[in-house]
């Protein structure tokens, strides 16, 4: 159904092809998972299937890619729309209409599908993706995860033979991700849909894949195999595979259930060597029991660094209420963040996680209660002053990036933050080694753009840093660099007087870091 024949893609101005010698086929009704570290070219390979590469991105595609027999170099994306449905990494860039229902119908309208069939499929898809209650809502008022479900629904309604999905679960909470993946599996099994999907959260998807295609490094050849075969050699793998590798299991487990079945012998071996330590017991019981007075949504998980008890909170939220239009997004939320503390903010899609972070950085004014960050009221504080108290890496990193080159972005960030010239560039060099000054931020991969946005935010050395749920798009090395920044060891080339920073990030599940 999808065939790559010795394909290489070279973007305009690049010295080397981004991907080369890509040669594989995906038969009808198979789900193939494309994996690899950030920036290796996964989105490039997916774009070559939908025709976005090179028709929209520019650059040169050598070799041949065919989908259902159509050459994607000679067919524009619009001429492939009846066979290929695509969901990109950024659902917002996808939407053409204003409301959920219109968006689900749009793809079918443009293919001239009969109105009664359209109505039926819209209803089926609303139910399938749990969107029925949101059918009349303007898309712009939905949470990131809800928008992602709409984006997936809008490509499902025309019943394409091929689905190309770029990190379809990145903004979804675990339950929503499971539902979407179950839908995909049904499409593959019942309708024979062919799916090619890139995903960083391997623990969610690897067990659904018939085969896995691995791009191990930029420009390296693509390898294809069964999930356990590829996971044995892949530089990216889920935690359960990590355990299997450590334990020397073959074939490797792909799910917790697989691992549990094998774990008997390992458990006995460990029991024979283990002596219980008081520290282990203390750690296990350190998590506070949920108290009835705490707000039920969103949940907060804390990792406390030792802080002097006299330290003033970096952020203090009391009885916060926020309204967004007619929706009461937050009600009676209390939160105190101390210097050096890491807080994971958890909750279902639409629970109000981004709204709480938005209130901390002054983007949304409270309807009740109070918010203080570094002693200031965020929505009444001048941006130049606020950036030193609190920074936000937004869900879409491009919302923060407006210059034409990485170098110009860095200069602007230094200026906005009143930082020493070169501060932002030093952070970029640590998080994104090898990225040239002249690169347009638009031409970075999703994970690279996220790292650039993080560097821009950290340039102001905010006492409190907030982020949304995309660290999965980072490489292990970059996550380590993030952690260093969070733990406050000053990045190379920056002054050593960084204060302990509070870091709060939003994600739907605490696993994966
Ligand atoms: N339109 C473009 N023009 C120039 N270079 C590009 C363009 N799109 C991507 N690149 C570069 O090609 C390389 C691969 O990018 P791609 O987006 O395919 O990676 P990826 O594997 O999908 O990464 P991620 O996991 O971060 O999404 C990156 O170095 C990126 O900077
Ligand atoms: Mg990508």
């Amino acid at each position: 159904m999808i065939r790559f024949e010795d394909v290489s893609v070279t973007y305009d101005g690049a010295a080397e092809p981004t991907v080369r010698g890509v040669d594989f086929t995906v038969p009808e009704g198979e789900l193939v998972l494309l994996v690899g570290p950030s920036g290796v070219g996964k989105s490039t390979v997916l774009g070559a299937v939908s025709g976005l590469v090179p028709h929209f991105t520019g650059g040169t595609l050598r070799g041949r890619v065919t989908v259902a027999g159509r050459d994607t170099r000679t067919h524009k994306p619009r001429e492939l729309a009846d066979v290929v449905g695509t969901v990109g990494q950024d659902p917002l860039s996808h939407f053409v209409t204003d409301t959920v229902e219109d968006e689900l119908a749009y793809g079918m309208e443009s293919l001239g599908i009969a109105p009664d069939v359209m109505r039926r499929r819209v209803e089926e898809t609303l139910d399938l993706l749990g969107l029925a209650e949101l059918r009349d809502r303007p898309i712009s008022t939905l949470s990131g995860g809800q928008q992602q479900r709409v984006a997936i629904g809008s490509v499902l309604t025309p019943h394409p033979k091929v689905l190309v999905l770029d990190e379809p679960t990145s903004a979804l909470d675990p339950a929503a991700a499971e539902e979407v993946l179950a839908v995909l599996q049904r499409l593959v099994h019942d309708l024979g849909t062919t799916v090619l999907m890139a995903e960083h959260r391997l623990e969610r998807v690897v067990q659904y894949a018939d085969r896995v295609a691995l791009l191990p490094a930029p420009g390296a050849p693509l390898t294809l195999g069964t999930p356990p075969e590829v996971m044995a050699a892949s530089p990216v793998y889920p935690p359960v595979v990590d355990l299997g590798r450590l334990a020397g299991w073959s074939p490797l487990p792909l799910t917790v259930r697989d691992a549990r079945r094998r774990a008997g012998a390992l458990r006995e071996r460990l029991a024979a060597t283990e002596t219980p330590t008081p520290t282990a017991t203390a750690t296990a019981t350190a998590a506070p029991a949920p108290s009835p007075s705490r707000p039920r949504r969103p949940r907060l998980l804390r990792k406390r660094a030792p802080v002097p008890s006299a330290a003033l909170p970096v952020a203090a939220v009391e009885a916060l209420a926020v309204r967004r239009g007619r929706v009461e997004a937050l009600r009676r939320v209390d939160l105190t963040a101390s210097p050096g503390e890491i807080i994971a903010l958890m909750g279902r899609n639409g629970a109000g996680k981004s709204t709480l972070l938005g209130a901390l950085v002054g983007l949304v004014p409270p309807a009740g209660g109070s918010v203080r960050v570094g002693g200031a009221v965020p929505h009444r504080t001048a941006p130049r002053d606020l950036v030193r108290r609190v920074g936000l890496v937004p869900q879409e990193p491009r919302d923060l990036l407006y210059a034409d080159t990485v170098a110009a972005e860095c200069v602007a960030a230094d200026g906005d933050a009143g930082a020493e010239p070169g501060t932002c560039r030093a952070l970029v060099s640590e998080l994104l080694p090898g990225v040239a000054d002249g690169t347009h931020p638009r031409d970075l991969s999703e994970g690279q753009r996220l790292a650039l946005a993080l560097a821009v935010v950290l340039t102001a050395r905010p006492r409190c840093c907030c982020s949304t749920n995309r660290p999965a798009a980072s490489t292990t090395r970059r996550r380590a660099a993030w952690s260093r920044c969070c733990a406050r060891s000053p990045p190379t080339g920056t002054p050593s007087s960084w204060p302990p920073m509070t870091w709060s990030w939003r994600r739907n599940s605490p696993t994966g870091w």
Side-chain angles (χ1 to χ4, degrees):
M1 183 56 73
I2 303 173
R3 188 184 191 113
F4 277 75
E5 292 168 76
D6 195 17
V7 172
S8 69
V9 175
T10 309
Y11 286 113
D12 294 337
E16 298 280 322
T18 289
V19 291
R20 70 176 104 202
V22 176
D23 205 288
F24 72 110
T25 53
V26 183
E28 185 173 347
E30 214 172 76
L31 190 159
V32 171
L33 179 64
L34 180 57
V35 304
S38 179
V40 285
K42 299 181 296 300
S43 299
T44 303
V45 167
L46 297 186
V49 178
S50 57
L52 296 174
V53 175
H55 295 289
F56 282 10
T57 56
T60 311
L61 186 147
R62 295 213 169 72
R64 210 154 81 103
V65 184
T66 46
V67 187
R70 291 181 213 172
D71 188 327
T72 69
R73 198 168 32 160
T74 51
H75 290 74
K76 298 230 163 69
R78 148 165 52 86
E79 296 157 348
L80 297 165
D82 58 327
V83 282
V84 185
T86 309
V87 180
Q89 275 179 287
D90 170 10
L92 271 183
S93 64
H94 223 266
F95 300 127
V96 198
T97 67
D98 294 331
T99 67
V100 171
E101 207 167 354
D102 289 351
E103 191 63 31
L104 294 189
Y106 178 81
M108 292 186 289
E109 268 170 16
S110 39
L111 293 173
I113 291 175
D116 57 326
V117 177
M118 275 176 31
R119 263 194 300 277
R120 203 182 59 237
R121 289 198 192 161
V122 167
E123 293 305 322
E124 283 169 5
T125 311
L126 285 169
D127 285 345
L128 201 63
L129 293 172
L131 292 167
E133 281 180 15
L134 305 174
R135 62 192 308 153
D136 300 321
R137 282 273 293 276
I139 294 173
S140 58
T141 67
L142 300 181
S143 75
Q146 292 165 335
Q147 286 176 347
Q148 193 132 355
R149 268 185 279 167
V150 176
I152 292 170
S154 69
V155 299
L156 290 184
T157 45
H159 287 186
K161 287 188 182 146
V162 174
L163 279 176
V164 172
L165 305 167
D166 204 347
E167 290 194 52
T169 76
S170 63
L172 299 182
D173 64 50
E178 241 169 64
E179 282 162 25
V180 166
L181 290 166
V183 170
L184 290 178
Q185 219 189 5
R186 271 213 303 282
L187 292 173
V188 170
H189 289 186
D190 300 352
L191 300 180
T193 309
T194 308
V195 178
L196 181 58
M197 164 163 73
E199 183 58 69
H200 279 281
R201 301 203 175 165
L202 297 181
E203 65 278 13
R204 289 182 169 179
V205 293
V206 73
Q207 72 268 30
Y208 296 110
D210 293 305
R211 284 181 305 155
V212 177
L214 167 69
L215 282 169
L222 179 144
T223 53
L224 190 68
T226 64
E229 275 166 16
V230 176
M231 284 300 112
S234 170
V236 288
Y237 42 84
V240 73
V241 167
D242 197 8
L243 172 68
R245 284 184 178 189
L246 280 171
W249 291 333
S250 175
L252 285 166
L254 299 178
T255 60
V256 172
R257 186 163 177 254
D258 283 350
R260 199 174 280 135
R261 280 179 172 158
R262 307 271 191 75
L266 178 64
R267 218 178 282 134
E268 280 165 25
R269 231 168 73 204
L270 292 176
T273 54
E274 199 177 76
T275 37
T277 64
T279 332
T281 323
T283 316
T285 54
S291 115
S293 62
R294 276 168 188 262
R296 285 187 59 220
R297 309 178 317 166
R299 263 193 314 145
L300 305 171
L301 279 192
R302 289 154 180 273
K303 184 175 178 187
R304 259 178 211 285
V307 279
S309 55
L312 283 174
V314 170
V317 174
E318 271 174 43
L320 174 67
V322 175
R323 297 197 68 83
R324 308 199 96 171
R326 278 176 298 151
V327 179
E328 190 179 33
L330 294 175
R331 190 186 335 150
R332 297 202 60 77
V333 174
D334 297 309
L335 165 70
T336 312
S338 307
E341 192 173 28
I342 298 174
I343 301 173
L345 185 55
M346 293 166 58
R348 293 286 319 251
N349 289 137
K353 303 178 296 294
S354 296
T355 302
L356 178 51
L357 296 185
L360 282 172
V361 297
L363 288 176
V364 282
S370 67
V371 181
R372 285 184 182 272
V373 181
V377 177
H379 72 285
R380 298 222 183 89
T381 306
R384 212 181 163 81
D385 185 8
L386 194 62
V387 289
R388 286 203 206 93
R389 297 168 199 262
V390 61
L392 171 70
V393 185
Q395 189 152 359
E396 283 314 325
R398 72 187 77 213
D399 293 348
L400 206 66
L401 307 172
Y402 51 89
D404 288 345
T405 61
V406 168
E409 202 66 70
C410 289
V411 170
D414 289 344
D416 290 347
E420 287 282 306
T423 306
C424 184
R425 190 63 181 105
L427 282 162
V428 170
S429 302
E430 182 174 6
L431 294 167
L432 287 177
V435 162
D437 274 345
T439 310
H440 196 299
R442 181 194 56 213
D443 295 340
L444 295 174
S445 82
E446 206 56 31
Q448 292 167 334
R449 213 169 7 250
L450 181 63
L452 177 59
L454 175 67
V456 166
V457 168
L458 292 180
T459 298
R461 294 193 253 152
R463 297 289 311 277
C464 177
C465 216
C466 306
S467 177
T468 52
N469 63 350
R470 286 294 185 80
S474 307
T475 57
T476 312
R477 176 177 45 73
R478 202 171 299 146
R479 275 189 242 175
W482 281 49
S483 305
R484 275 201 302 285
C485 296
C486 302
R488 259 339 49 248
S489 61
T492 339
T494 55
S496 58
S497 60
W498 281 45
M501 183 197 289
T502 295
W503 183 265
S504 160
W505 80 88
R506 194 208 92 156
R507 55 174 295 144
N508 301 115
S509 146
T511 57
W513 268 64

